[in-house]
Amino acid sequence: MSPSSRLDFIKTWFQQSSPYRFHILGDLLPELYFGIDVTTFARWETDTKRINEERVEAGEINYWDFVNGNFTADLIEATYLFANNESSPELRIQRLIDFLTIAQKWRRKHGCFSLFDMIDPFHNHDEEFYKTFEQMSSSFWLAHNTSIIHWDTLSRELGIWQKESFFERQFINSVMIRLHFAADLPFSLPGYGNNIPPVGFLGISIHFGPFRYPEDYPAPEPEFDVNYGELSTATYVKFMFESFLNGKTNPVYTWWIPTQADKELFRTLQEKGISLDSPPEDWDREFVQPARKTLEEIRAYYLNPTFREEKRTKTSTC
């Protein structure tokens, strides 16, 4: 499948599994759906020529095309098996099937939410809404990250990652860490447990804030140390809270309308003893250090079922 076709397929795949699809302000803003961040990321890959049609046609496969192409192939295989009510021995495929199963169950029972239904989702629906969205968010990250990290790992084993420039490799490593951090935050998000639902915020962070992704390929030397430095994740967490609570767009909880979720986030900051004005060092101490993991630990978390089972057992016995 060509790079341009992949982008369309990825978008359609997540649109069809989303419990809602709607536009705000007509066609002035992109259509919103569960998983829009994956499409936004894939479009960024194409716009920055990390994935390039001409390069692929010439038979040159770089890191981004290798991972993106194989992730798309995983979506295709999962779709086929799901449609035929079959399972897969491959963990990354089965987890995508599990996500499709949750999504289809919701769609069959409730149909597709409209914009009116979603204006204040945390107060207009019963407990099933909370439970299903939290389940979908967790299942999404587990499925998405297992596939991405599987192919990232293989790219390193095959020497594909090593062909990228020094700063591009640093940036790729930071993306892998952010992927897991978004899926396993060290604090609870109202209505979504300890992960960021893929409903638009990550798309915002790709283009804005301290973790905005480079527009050039390969990635240039970072303008500020925080881009790749030790406090980069802490600065990202601070940017998240500022976006949620400081008058900026808040697509994760409230669809731009303040609700009780905002008060709960303020309460989280109060419990940590920090504010939006606290320096990154404080955010690092309170939020990042308790959840810091190496790339090796992240790979084990997604690719080794025994590792996840041991983690779950230890958590349940505490």
Side-chain angles (χ1 to χ4, degrees):
M1 183 180 292
S2 68
S4 58
S5 298
R6 281 186 232 150
L7 181 59
D8 291 337
F9 178 80
I10 290 171
K11 180 178 180 179
T12 300
W13 197 92
F14 284 100
Q15 285 179 328
Q16 292 181 346
S17 63
S18 176
Y20 61 87
R21 287 178 60 182
F22 51 77
H23 287 279
I24 295 179
L25 301 178
D27 294 328
L28 296 178
L29 294 175
E31 183 179 22
L32 296 178
Y33 49 90
F34 194 97
I36 187 175
D37 292 291
V38 184
T39 307
T40 303
F41 184 88
R43 184 174 293 108
W44 166 83
E45 289 178 293
T46 302
D47 290 344
T48 61
K49 299 190 182 304
R50 280 169 170 78
I51 294 177
N52 181 271
E53 200 91 33
E54 290 75 19
R55 186 170 56 236
V56 173
E57 290 176 356
E60 300 175 14
I61 305 299
N62 70 349
Y63 169 88
W64 298 97
D65 189 74
F66 178 81
V67 175
N68 176 280
N70 283 295
F71 171 67
T72 306
D74 285 352
L75 295 181
I76 294 172
E77 183 174 353
T79 302
Y80 173 81
L81 293 175
F82 174 75
N84 290 279
N85 198 29
E86 297 179 33
S87 59
S88 172
E90 299 290 343
L91 204 59
R92 68 185 193 281
I93 304 296
Q94 185 57 47
R95 286 172 174 171
L96 287 166
I97 294 172
D98 293 342
F99 173 78
L100 288 174
T101 301
I102 297 170
Q104 185 187 73
K105 181 180 178 181
W106 176 269
R107 289 284 291 265
R108 284 180 173 176
K109 183 174 181 178
H110 298 281
C112 196
F113 280 126
S114 68
L115 173 59
F116 180 78
D117 294 321
M118 294 294 291
I119 285 178
D120 190 353
F122 294 95
H123 291 82
N124 293 340
H125 303 283
D126 57 20
E127 183 180 351
E128 186 180 10
F129 177 88
Y130 289 91
K131 185 177 179 180
T132 301
F133 263 57
E134 184 172 354
Q135 186 181 24
M136 282 190 70
S137 294
S138 297
S139 178
F140 163 85
W141 284 112
L142 184 58
H144 174 271
N145 289 6
T146 300
S147 176
I148 296 297
I149 291 171
H150 170 87
W151 295 114
D152 169 81
T153 302
L154 189 57
S155 79
R156 297 165 194 261
E157 294 175 358
L158 296 174
I160 298 173
W161 174 84
Q162 287 82 347
K163 294 179 181 179
E164 300 291 342
S165 70
F166 173 77
F167 289 114
E168 190 72 15
R169 294 198 306 271
Q170 276 197 314
F171 171 68
I172 289 170
N173 288 348
S174 73
V175 170
M176 294 302 108
I177 291 171
R178 288 179 232 175
L179 276 180
H180 177 67
F181 188 84
D184 195 33
L185 295 176
F187 57 93
S188 179
L189 298 170
Y192 288 112
N194 68 328
N195 57 67
I196 299 177
V199 300
F201 179 77
L202 294 184
I204 292 174
S205 69
I206 286 174
H207 299 292
F208 304 98
F211 262 14
R212 59 189 178 276
Y213 288 6
E215 297 180 359
D216 298 324
Y217 177 71
E221 182 176 356
E223 298 178 12
F224 306 101
D225 290 340
V226 72
N227 287 3
Y228 301 128
E230 293 183 359
L231 295 177
S232 56
T233 304
T235 306
Y236 178 57
V237 177
K238 183 176 181 179
F239 169 72
M240 278 173 43
F241 273 83
E242 288 174 342
S243 299
F244 295 163
L245 303 176
N246 209 20
K248 300 180 182 179
T249 54
N250 184 351
V252 173
Y253 308 126
T254 63
W255 307 101
W256 300 278
I257 298 176
T259 69
Q260 183 66 28
D262 300 291
K263 296 180 181 179
E264 293 183 29
L265 285 180
F266 272 122
R267 190 177 302 117
T268 298
L269 291 184
Q270 292 174 349
E271 291 172 354
K272 298 288 186 180
I274 61 177
S275 70
L276 295 179
D277 296 324
S278 297
E281 287 79 3
D282 290 353
W283 291 80
D284 185 70
R285 181 190 67 247
E286 297 297 333
F287 288 110
V288 180
Q289 291 299 330
R292 188 181 295 279
K293 289 183 175 63
T294 65
L295 284 174
E296 289 73 21
E297 289 173 319
I298 290 172
R299 291 189 192 108
Y301 182 89
Y302 290 100
L303 305 181
N304 185 343
T306 303
F307 179 89
R308 282 181 54 81
E309 187 59 38
E310 290 175 352
K311 181 177 184 294
R312 188 180 302 110
T313 301
K314 290 179 180 178
T315 302
S316 63
T317 56
C318 291

